């Protein structure tokens, strides 16, 4: 269908790196690209390079299950993800790019009275923040999501917490939209350029060593997701972050069977249906530290057991593909956007399974921090020193749920 097209231009340039930049961002994933975009757009800083070891968008930004939501519970996270969802709602107009943002809603299913109580509290926290939340009883869930096994004797569905403004977005398009927007504002996107070390003089970063030579920089931001602890280690920093593999799966295209995103409350399983009709789903981590962007067989069985307990029809669908991504798991399930002890070196990481939904706000807040040296009001609590002071944001069960 595209054969008749003529004269298409690349959506961004392919520049050779300059000798030095005002700001270097390491990592052309969603967060690095969004940071570069907002540095240029919000702060007028365009002497910026984004350095990517592979190809733009080849990391987790192109590997996730595309779920976008703002249903966190704790202060610190609620305001950040709330800001992110608002940015998502205007992102297509902002970037003039179709990111296929689809607010089809998310429901977290409850299977016990305790879970219903907790969802009532979490829903209240969401509404206090100004976001939408509805607590559904079992009949409303049954009517809204008829394709689920509501009467599983072990895990009957008692109700759920729904956020209608949540949904899905086309993940690659998000990377491409931010990339094009940053490039048009003068940012250099440099692919096949791995950062291999930092030059630090008298406690201040002065540039990075790369596979394409040394590049000087006034400021350097790390946005390398699954590689966060490795890259930080090159600057002598030991972070409270571990890397683990998370897998995802997609079936053949089916007629519409799921109206929105569903998370199972009694197993680690979440599912949605793509616009092409494929069921897109995932579950637990592979549970050992790894930098392999592919998963192992036992977890495939485990995820499908949980999936079929919730949605037996899954057993009749043919799985087309599965893949893995490297997750930067922080110790409290919440992210970090902060300065480091090295002057001019900034950290964006610890996104666990949930960084896709954070993409616009992460870029917005990281750009603010790099430009002004002060944290954005939306990310005041996403500090690195919380692991030292004990003021952790423990959303391991809610925020870090893989969706
Ligand atoms: P990435 O795209 O991984 O970007 C980091 C980049 O840094 C990479 O391109 C990498 O090559 C580059 N890099 C690393 N080291 C170097 C170096 N030394 N030099 C130069 N470049 C370097 N989140 C949600 O909110 N919703 C979901 O439904 C969801 N589902 C997920 C499902 C799976 C299977 C996976 C793997 C993740 C999921 N996530 C989800 C999490 C989300 O995808 C990530 O948290 C987020 O994409 C991480 O930020 P990023 O896009 O910047 O990362």
């Amino acid at each position: 269908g595209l054969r008749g097209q003529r004269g298409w231009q690349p959506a961004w340039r392919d520049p050779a790196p300059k000798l030095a930049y005002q700001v270097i961002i390491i990592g052309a994933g969603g967060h690095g690209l969004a940071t570069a975009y907002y540095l240029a757009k919000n702060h007028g800083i365009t002497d910026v390079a984004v350095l990517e070891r592979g190809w733009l968008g080849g990391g987790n930004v192109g590997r996730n299950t595309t779920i976008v939501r703002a249903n966190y519970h704790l202060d610190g996270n609620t305001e950040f993800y709330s800001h992110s969802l608002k940015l998502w709602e205007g992102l297509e107009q902002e970037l003039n790019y179709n990111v296929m943002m689809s607010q089809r809603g998310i429901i977290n299913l409850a299977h016990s009275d305790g879970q219903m109580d907790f969802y009532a509290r979490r829903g209240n926290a969401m509404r206090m923040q100004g976001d939408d939340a509805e607590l559904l009883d079992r009949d409303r869930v049954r009517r809204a999501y008829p394709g689920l096994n509501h009467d599983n004797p072990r895990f009957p569905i008692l109700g759920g917490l729904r956020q209608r403004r949540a949904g899905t977005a086309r993940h690659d398009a998000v990377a491409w939209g931010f990339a094009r927007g940053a490039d048009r504002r003068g940012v250099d996107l440099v692919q096949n350029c791995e950062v291999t070390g930092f030059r630090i003089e008298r406690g201040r970063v002065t540039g990075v060593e790369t596979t394409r030579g040394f590049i000087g920089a006034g400021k350097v931001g790390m946005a390398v997701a699954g590689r966060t602890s490795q890259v930080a280690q090159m600057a002598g920093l030991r972070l409270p972050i571990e890397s683990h593999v998370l897998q995802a799966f997609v079936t053949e295209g089916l007629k519409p069977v799921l109206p929105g995103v569903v998370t199972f409350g009694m197993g680690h399983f979440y599912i949605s249906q793509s616009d092409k009709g494929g069921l897109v789903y995932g579950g637990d981590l592979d549970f050992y530290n790894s930098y392999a962007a592919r998963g192992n067989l036992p977890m495939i069985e485990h995820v499908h057991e949980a999936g079929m307990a919730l949605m037996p029809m899954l057993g009749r669908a043919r799985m087309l593909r599965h893949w893995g991504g490297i997750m930067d798991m922080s110790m409290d399930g919440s992210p970090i956007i902060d300065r480091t002890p090295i002057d001019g070196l900034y950290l964006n990481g610890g996104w666990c399974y949930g960084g896709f939904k954070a993409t616009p706000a992460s870029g917005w807040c990281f750009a603010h921090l790099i430009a002004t040296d002060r944290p954005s009001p939306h990310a005041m609590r996403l500090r690195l020193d919380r692991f030292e002071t004990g003021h952790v944001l423990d959303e391991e069960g809610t925020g870090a749920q893989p969706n």
Side-chain angles (χ1 to χ4, degrees):
L2 298 178
R3 264 181 307 175
Q5 303 292 342
R6 295 277 182 275
W8 280 18
Q9 297 295 318
W12 49 84
R13 297 164 298 129
D14 187 19
K18 294 194 291 189
L19 291 178
Y21 292 89
Q22 190 177 346
V23 178
I24 283 178
I25 303 296
I26 312 173
H31 295 223
L33 293 166
T35 304
Y37 176 83
Y38 288 119
L39 273 171
K41 167 84 193 303
N42 292 357
H43 304 280
I45 300 175
T46 55
D47 184 22
V48 177
V50 182
L51 307 182
E52 168 55 48
R53 74 202 283 263
W55 70 96
L56 184 159
N60 288 344
V61 70
R63 293 167 180 269
N64 57 69
T65 41
T66 78
I67 302 166
V68 170
R69 60 188 168 92
N71 58 359
Y72 285 68
H73 187 203
L74 296 181
D75 289 353
N77 280 330
T78 49
E79 64 262 31
F80 174 76
Y81 288 102
S82 177
H83 180 53
S84 204
L85 186 53
K86 290 183 191 114
L87 291 175
W88 277 109
E89 288 174 325
L91 199 60
E92 284 161 342
Q93 289 79 359
E94 170 73 29
L95 300 176
N96 187 24
Y97 208 97
N98 184 6
V99 303
M100 293 169 70
M101 176 68 183
S102 165
Q103 290 180 289
R104 56 187 68 181
I106 187 169
I107 185 158
N108 305 118
L109 298 173
H111 311 267
S112 69
D113 293 341
Q115 262 181 331
M116 282 301 277
D117 287 349
F118 173 62
Y119 285 164
R121 285 178 57 211
R122 186 166 152 194
N124 287 339
M126 290 157 62
R127 292 171 73 120
M128 295 280 284
Q129 175 59 41
D131 291 314
D132 64 305
E134 288 168 272
L135 199 61
L136 303 192
D137 63 19
R138 74 172 78 199
D139 293 335
R140 287 183 68 196
V141 177
R142 193 182 288 267
R143 282 198 299 277
Y145 301 89
L148 307 179
N149 182 4
H150 293 264
D151 301 312
N152 180 320
R154 202 162 157 218
F155 308 123
I157 297 173
L158 301 187
L161 180 64
R162 178 159 71 181
Q163 182 173 51
R164 286 182 190 263
R165 285 167 58 236
T168 55
R170 171 77 197 274
H171 45 188
D172 311 292
V174 176
W176 301 334
F178 274 120
R180 191 183 68 171
D183 174 85
R184 286 191 178 168
R185 285 174 167 77
V187 170
D188 282 357
L189 307 175
V190 186
Q191 303 180 70
N192 297 310
C193 182
E194 178 171 358
V195 171
T196 53
F198 292 91
R199 198 172 287 178
I200 296 165
E201 291 165 17
R202 289 192 293 279
R204 181 167 190 93
V205 71
T206 56
V208 291
E209 307 289 348
T210 80
T211 46
R212 296 173 71 168
F214 174 76
I215 308 175
K219 294 180 173 182
V220 178
M222 293 180 273
V224 291
R227 300 274 171 183
T228 301
S229 49
Q230 280 185 333
V231 172
Q233 204 168 27
M234 295 177 198
L237 302 174
R238 193 155 172 261
L239 298 179
I241 291 178
E242 287 185 7
S243 293
H244 289 258
V245 179
L246 179 70
Q247 302 193 49
F249 310 84
V250 64
T251 69
E252 60 190 338
L254 303 169
K255 287 184 179 173
V257 289
L258 270 180
V261 183
V262 177
T263 76
F264 185 30
M266 278 296 163
H268 234 166
F269 181 79
Y270 54 97
I271 187 162
S272 66
Q273 189 164 19
S274 78
D275 292 328
K276 275 201 301 193
L279 296 173
V280 181
Y281 53 96
D284 272 318
L285 296 171
D286 274 19
F287 285 129
Y288 54 90
N289 294 29
S290 171
Y291 292 99
R294 61 177 183 277
N296 267 330
L297 288 170
M299 191 47 65
I300 298 177
E301 189 176 358
H302 175 80
V303 170
H304 286 86
E305 278 172 356
M308 285 179 60
L310 177 67
M311 205 173 156
M313 70 168 73
L314 196 60
R316 306 294 291 273
R318 276 181 287 250
M319 195 213 297
L320 281 191
R321 288 190 302 281
H322 77 107
W323 62 92
I326 312 163
M327 319 306 317
D328 38 330
M329 303 300 296
S330 69
M331 295 298 114
D332 61 359
S334 298
I336 303 160
I337 299 179
D338 204 356
R339 288 184 289 244
T340 70
I342 297 162
D343 282 346
L345 182 61
Y346 303 84
L347 170 65
N348 173 315
W351 294 102
C352 302
Y353 329 92
F356 179 64
K357 70 182 75 66
T359 305
S362 169
W364 179 287
C365 298
F366 202 36
H368 185 283
L369 177 73
I370 293 171
T372 66
D373 263 315
R374 288 193 308 277
S376 158
H378 307 289
M380 296 296 281
R381 300 204 192 179
L382 307 184
R383 297 170 59 133
L384 177 57
D385 70 0
R386 67 180 190 265
F387 299 95
E388 208 172 15
T389 61
H391 291 97
V392 290
L393 286 173
D394 186 359
E395 292 238 41
E396 197 60 51
T398 52
Q401 234 171 29
N403 52 62

